[in-house]
Amino acid sequence: MTTVHRTCPLCEAVCGLTLTLDSDNRVTSVKGDRDDPFSKGFICPKGASLGKLDEDPDLLTTPMIREGTQWRTATWDEAFDAVAVGLNKVIEEHGRKSLALYLGNPNAHTVAGALYGGSVARGLGTRNIFSASSLDQMPKHVASGLMFGDPLTIAVPDLDRTDYLLMLGANPLESNGSLCTAPNFPGRLKDIRKRGGKLVVVDPRHTRTAALADEHIFVRPGSDAYLLFGIVNVLFAENLTTVSVDVDGLAAIREAAVPFTPEAAAPRTGVPADVIRRIARELAAAPTAAVYGRIGTCTAEFGTVAQWLVDVINVLTGNLDRAGGAMFPRPATALPRRSRPYRTARWTSRVRGLPEANGELPAAALAEEIETPGEGQIRGIITVAGNPVLSLPNGARLDTSLQEVDFMVSVDRYLNETTKHADVILPPPQTLQSSHYDFALLAFAVRNYTRYSPPAVALGDRPSESDILARLAMIAAGLDGDTAAHDELIIDQTLRKAVAAQGSGVFGRDVGDLRASLQGETGAELRLDMMLRLGPYGEWSGVDGADLSLQKLLDNPHGLDLGPLEPQLPDCLITASGKVELAPPQLLADVERLKAGLTQTQPEIVLIGRRQLRSNNSWMHNVSTLVGGSNRCTLLINPADVERLGLGDDAVVKSAAGELIVPLEPTDSIMPGVVSLPHGWGHGASTQSVAAAHAGVNANTLTDDAHVDALSGNAVFNGVPVTVSHAFSVS
Ligand SMILES: Nc1nc2c(c(=O)[nH]1)N[C@H]1C(S)=C(S)[C@@H](COP(=O)(O)OP(=O)(O)OC[C@H]3O[C@@H](n4cnc5c(=O)[nH]c(N)nc54)[C@H](O)[C@@H]3O)O[C@H]1N2
Ligand SMILES: Nc1nc2c(c(=O)[nH]1)N[C@H]1C(S)=C(S)[C@@H](COP(=O)(O)OP(=O)(O)OC[C@H]3O[C@@H](n4cnc5c(=O)[nH]c(N)nc54)[C@H](O)[C@@H]3O)O[C@H]1N2
Ligand code: SF4
Ligand SMILES: [Mo]
């Protein structure tokens, strides 16, 4: 028996886990790590199933090559050779413009995704870069980029100190939180109330999170921007603003808010005017307060405007960048990022002209870019840790269009709805065979914190996922040789920049000496060590007493608390004015569209999504301990709608994009006129035995790739117009 302590890689809560392994390295128990200073022993059913996940017999353990409709196993050399041949053929025939990359959600959790995802993109040399970000939080990046100058400078609610939390479109009791890294999110919410604070939840559904709150406000899907503008309007009208940071554009935002009186916002949002007024007053009066908006507010028609207004309110109530308000984390690996203010739409997608953001094109444009002939038509695609057939709007269309590509490579654990279209599948090792560091998620943590998990189980003769991606990057770029050279190049470039930067803790030092002192058994570890040392707590930071390094993390396997969030303004701003931009022109321009929507007639029934505690987007439905019970693909619907529409057990749901038959789950917890279907299901044709037995349907048959948030190109999953009618025959 051995005991290992690791970070759970399965969601954004980054819980510490304590696992015991038997002599065959099989997991015999998984518990929350009580000595982790951040998660303090918290664990959820998914983390507890980590061992089951690694033992899933349907996991791929060797590369797979498809020959017609048949799959065969292959050696790693064979598989990489096949990738080189396939990619080069596409490049020769159609050029690099015809290549594409799709990076899925787990890239935000893996070391490989953080350190090598960008290398694959650069190696391909194409603008057809897509990721789950434009199905998720791109509105937050764009709004933050325009307000603060950097799309990764994202303010998170200071959960542990706030007196008042207004939370819109998030359900952390199921999701465990997002763009707000907080293990035991449920406990942290309960603590707000215990210390006499107030929690208000805005959601079209009375969720488990809403049930925990002091107040739940039903809102019409897709209307958060109106509600938030209503609050801004009241703050100005009643002279409740207390701006405590340097801002640009105060007069412009005041002016923009004029049409959005509570009375104007009420019919559109379904929230009574007096409630909007009261929430504005409460936010202004609370000793500290934070507004936090997540998926429900992002994946909507006015996602970017809503995300902007969240932080506008945080500024206007004096809560941006102060304890108990909305604050900017300072992660241990933070290195200087950009020198120029953020811009979007530096290029646009070929077919529909959708804007680039963060160097990516909207994933909602992927299918049309594959289908539409002409120069730049996608002919070769790599997917890494993604299942876009189930996660993209109008996924059914992508399912068809992927059959058209000449060559496809997938880096994935499973043969699934997406990877079945690949020519070559390259499987990453088990989670316990992988090292883990949350490069992305610790930048959104509600406390500054760091933890590293080296592999717990030896890799054997399998490559790590970092090696797989580094190799893909080199093949794509047409480079031969050792992947270690790739890491050395990055280390060299980073160190050169650091020694040349005035004010850096290593200014003027010798790059060779610094390189020689780095520790690590892999290129990824060397790079992590470098980032930790150069970062704000590192031994090369120039800060007295700072001594963070990889070795220190290895010596502290339960992780290290780096203290509560601290004010970061104005140092973290990269805006042209050097101030917080309250009224960026692009956002003001979209307000005109928003205004027009105030009086538009609304569809009778709209679809929203939901997340389920024992599920993880599309890919944890093959673990028997997690499926079944409440974890089912059903359509939540208000009983009044069931009666009004004369529905039975199942119903036909139709949208502009497609149609489905789904089992109904009538419940008072959802607003009349709103139905909810979880995404990630639809495993009917799956070769994964458990998932196929709990197939469900693909919610993204109904969502529409034709509609995106205008500013970010983000997919719209919430507020999709549908009709629901009686299903006559059910097979
Ligand atoms: N209707 C609707 N659709 C949605 C959403 C919604 O709310 N409603 N939410 C959207 C959001 S927020 C997101 S993030 C996307 C997610 O969209 P995707 O990222 O496309 O989908 P996932 O289901 O997360 O797929 C993860 C894939 O990675 C594989 N995998 C798991 N771990 C690893 C690993 O360590 N390495 C590798 N290489 N592969 C791994 C899994 O087998 C799976 O195939 O879905 C979006 N789609
Ligand atoms: N167990 C589990 N955890 C997960 C995931 C999972 O699939 N399962 N997925 C992970 C991923 S990829 C992400 S991005 C995060 C997301 O984390 P969350 O943002 O917390 O996502 P959800 O749980 O879907 O909660 C979104 C809520 O928004 C509500 N909503 C829908 N439309 C609207 C609207 O127009 N306005 C408002 N105000 N509310 C609306 C929905 O009813 C729902 O309760 O969760 C992550 N964690
Ligand atoms: S909450 Fe998230 S990080 Fe924590 S154990 Fe569950 S899946 Fe893992
Ligand atoms: Mo997500």
Side-chain angles (χ1 to χ4, degrees):
M1 286 284 212
T2 46
T3 301
V4 294
H5 307 288
R6 296 182 62 75
T7 302
C8 175
L10 298 177
C11 90
E12 297 181 42
V14 305
C15 300
L17 302 179
T18 297
L19 301 98
T20 50
L21 311 181
D22 67 15
S23 51
D24 293 327
N25 285 326
R26 289 170 69 95
V27 176
T28 51
S29 87
V30 189
K31 296 203 169 74
D33 179 353
R34 287 171 190 279
D35 296 320
D36 182 303
F38 199 21
S39 63
K40 297 179 179 158
F42 182 80
I43 187 170
C44 86
K46 282 191 300 182
S49 302
L50 196 63
K52 296 265 182 310
L53 189 70
D54 265 357
E55 284 163 24
D56 183 345
D58 290 331
L59 280 179
L60 300 177
T61 53
T62 61
M64 304 290 286
I65 292 182
R66 184 166 56 83
E67 282 161 356
T69 54
Q70 296 297 309
W71 288 95
R72 68 171 178 89
T73 59
T75 66
W76 283 95
D77 283 343
E78 238 184 313
F80 282 123
D81 285 347
V83 172
V85 170
L87 280 184
N88 285 328
K89 185 157 183 284
V90 176
I91 294 170
E92 272 157 33
E93 288 172 7
H94 305 286
R96 290 186 174 273
K97 277 187 177 168
S98 68
L99 297 176
L101 174 65
Y102 175 82
L103 297 167
N105 169 274
N107 286 294
H109 301 259
T110 61
V111 166
L115 296 184
Y116 303 90
S119 309
V120 179
R122 282 186 296 276
L124 288 170
T126 174
R127 283 185 171 169
N128 291 317
I129 307 297
F130 305 88
S131 89
S133 290
S134 58
L135 308 174
D136 184 342
Q137 82 285 3
M138 198 58 94
K140 190 77 209 172
H141 290 304
V142 172
S144 298
L146 296 174
M147 292 180 82
F148 311 125
D150 188 319
L152 292 172
T153 299
I154 288 177
V156 303
D158 187 7
L159 281 189
D160 297 346
R161 291 182 289 184
T162 195
D163 297 291
Y164 191 106
L165 180 64
L166 175 64
M167 178 154 69
L168 309 101
N171 187 9
L173 264 81
E174 309 287 349
S175 71
N176 278 297
S178 181
L179 284 192
C180 176
T181 302
N184 193 8
F185 210 125
R188 289 173 199 267
L189 290 181
K190 287 178 197 151
D191 285 347
I192 296 177
R193 299 192 59 187
K194 270 193 213 148
R195 59 177 183 265
K198 181 166 180 178
L199 170 64
V200 180
V201 169
V202 179
D203 198 302
R205 185 160 75 93
H206 187 74
T207 59
R208 288 210 296 135
T209 306
L212 190 108
D214 294 273
E215 182 173 356
H216 169 226
I217 299 169
F218 280 112
V219 68
R220 293 286 304 164
S223 72
D224 297 82
Y226 296 95
L227 172 64
L228 292 162
F229 242 142
I231 293 174
V232 173
N233 177 289
V234 176
L235 291 174
F236 281 117
E238 301 191 1
N239 278 323
L240 299 174
T241 59
T242 44
V243 179
S244 56
V245 292
D246 266 352
V247 299
D248 206 30
L250 193 61
I253 183 76
R254 172 195 282 266
E255 167 91 28
V258 168
F260 299 93
T261 59
E263 282 68 24
R268 182 66 185 79
T269 57
V271 182
D274 59 337
V275 174
I276 301 178
R277 235 175 225 113
R278 177 170 54 76
I279 296 295
R281 291 173 188 157
E282 287 179 5
L283 280 167
T288 63
V291 185
Y292 164 65
R294 199 56 273 272
I295 274 291
T297 59
C298 268
T299 54
E301 189 189 354
F302 291 102
T304 307
V305 172
Q307 293 311 315
W308 166 51
L309 295 172
V310 161
D311 281 331
V312 165
I313 297 173
N314 285 325
V315 169
L316 294 180
T317 55
N319 283 300
L320 187 79
D321 199 41
R322 76 152 163 188
M327 302 192 78
F328 301 103
R330 199 166 61 137
T333 52
L335 299 185
R337 282 192 295 249
R338 39 190 317 124
S339 47
R340 269 174 301 174
Y342 180 68
R343 284 169 56 206
T344 56
R346 290 170 297 172
W347 54 88
T348 53
S349 68
R350 179 181 64 107
V351 178
R352 216 190 317 171
L354 293 178
E356 161 274 345
N358 294 10
E360 300 178 15
L361 291 171
L366 179 55
E368 70 200 20
E369 292 295 334
I370 296 173
E371 289 165 10
T372 313
E375 200 187 324
Q377 178 182 13
I378 294 173
R379 310 276 190 156
I381 183 165
I382 299 182
T383 70
V384 181
N387 194 356
V389 167
L390 295 192
S391 54
L392 253 55
N394 204 349
R397 176 178 178 186
L398 185 72
D399 192 23
T400 309
S401 56
L402 281 178
Q403 293 168 25
E404 314 277 306
V405 296
D406 295 348
F407 188 67
M408 173 165 165
V409 184
S410 292
V411 183
D412 206 287
R413 299 181 181 288
Y414 288 106
L415 178 57
N416 65 21
E417 297 74 16
T418 295
T419 63
K420 71 172 187 212
H421 295 294
D423 296 280
V424 182
I425 307 178
L426 306 170
Q430 295 177 329
T431 63
L432 292 185
Q433 291 175 309
S434 303
S435 62
H436 190 86
Y437 189 87
D438 281 301
F439 288 96
L441 305 176
L442 295 181
F444 312 122
V446 299
R447 264 189 94 84
N448 293 315
Y449 156 88
T450 177
R451 178 172 178 150
Y452 176 63
S453 314
V457 175
L459 270 170
D461 50 8
R462 297 179 69 161
S464 70
E465 183 158 13
S466 294
D467 284 339
I468 296 172
L469 296 195
R471 189 85 181 262
L472 277 182
M474 294 184 73
I475 293 173
L479 299 172
D480 291 327
D482 192 347
T483 54
H486 174 81
D487 293 306
E488 290 300 340
L489 189 71
I490 289 173
I491 291 172
D492 190 64
Q493 285 169 347
T494 313
L495 290 178
R496 271 177 205 288
K497 231 195 252 173
V499 299
Q502 303 258 0
S504 136
V506 290
F507 179 65
R509 288 192 45 192
D510 181 66
V511 169
D513 288 350
L514 295 177
R515 166 64 191 90
S517 65
L518 289 177
Q519 292 181 8
E521 293 188 4
T522 59
E525 281 194 347
L526 289 167
R527 286 170 66 184
L528 173 60
D529 191 29
M530 173 185 70
M531 292 166 84
L532 291 169
R533 292 193 203 207
L534 287 174
Y537 313 88
E539 64 176 45
W540 293 344
S541 63
V543 176
D544 260 2
D547 63 353
L548 203 61
S549 64
L550 180 65
Q551 189 57 50
K552 186 163 177 189
L553 291 191
L554 291 170
D555 293 341
N556 290 276
H558 304 288
L560 291 171
D561 182 40
L562 301 171
L565 304 187
E566 284 172 9
Q568 302 288 319
L569 290 179
D571 296 354
C572 68
L573 296 177
I574 317 174
T575 51
S577 62
K579 302 175 185 175
V580 172
E581 296 287 353
L582 280 187
Q586 293 94 318
L587 284 158
L588 284 183
D590 214 28
V591 173
E592 290 307 312
R593 242 173 20 99
L594 191 73
K595 236 189 284 176
L598 270 174
T599 48
Q600 256 163 22
T601 11
Q602 293 307 307
E604 199 188 336
I605 304 184
V606 290
L607 173 75
I608 61 171
R610 71 176 181 276
R611 278 178 172 68
Q612 296 161 302
L613 181 64
R614 288 180 296 126
S615 185
N616 203 4
N617 298 328
S618 75
W619 68 279
M620 288 186 64
H621 297 148
N622 204 46
V623 178
S624 56
T625 46
L626 295 178
V627 282
S630 62
N631 197 9
R632 288 199 310 136
C633 183
T634 57
L635 189 80
L636 302 184
I637 183 168
N638 191 283
D641 286 328
V642 176
E643 195 173 310
R644 186 171 58 89
L645 300 166
L647 305 174
D649 292 344
D650 300 85
V652 182
V653 187
K654 279 191 201 166
S655 72
E659 131 172 26
L660 287 174
I661 297 182
V662 284
L664 297 182
E665 190 174 332
T667 166
D668 282 326
S669 67
I670 195 155
M671 285 173 88
V674 181
V675 291
S676 160
L677 192 62
H679 73 285
W681 298 90
H683 311 297
S686 181
T687 53
Q688 299 170 38
S689 49
V690 179
H694 300 265
V697 292
N698 182 358
N700 285 320
T701 308
L702 298 171
T703 58
D704 195 346
D705 51 346
H707 296 293
V708 296
D709 167 43
L711 290 176
S712 66
N714 204 85
V716 175
F717 293 127
N718 291 313
V720 177
V722 291
T723 60
V724 184
S725 55
H726 187 73
F728 286 98
S729 65
V730 180
S731 55

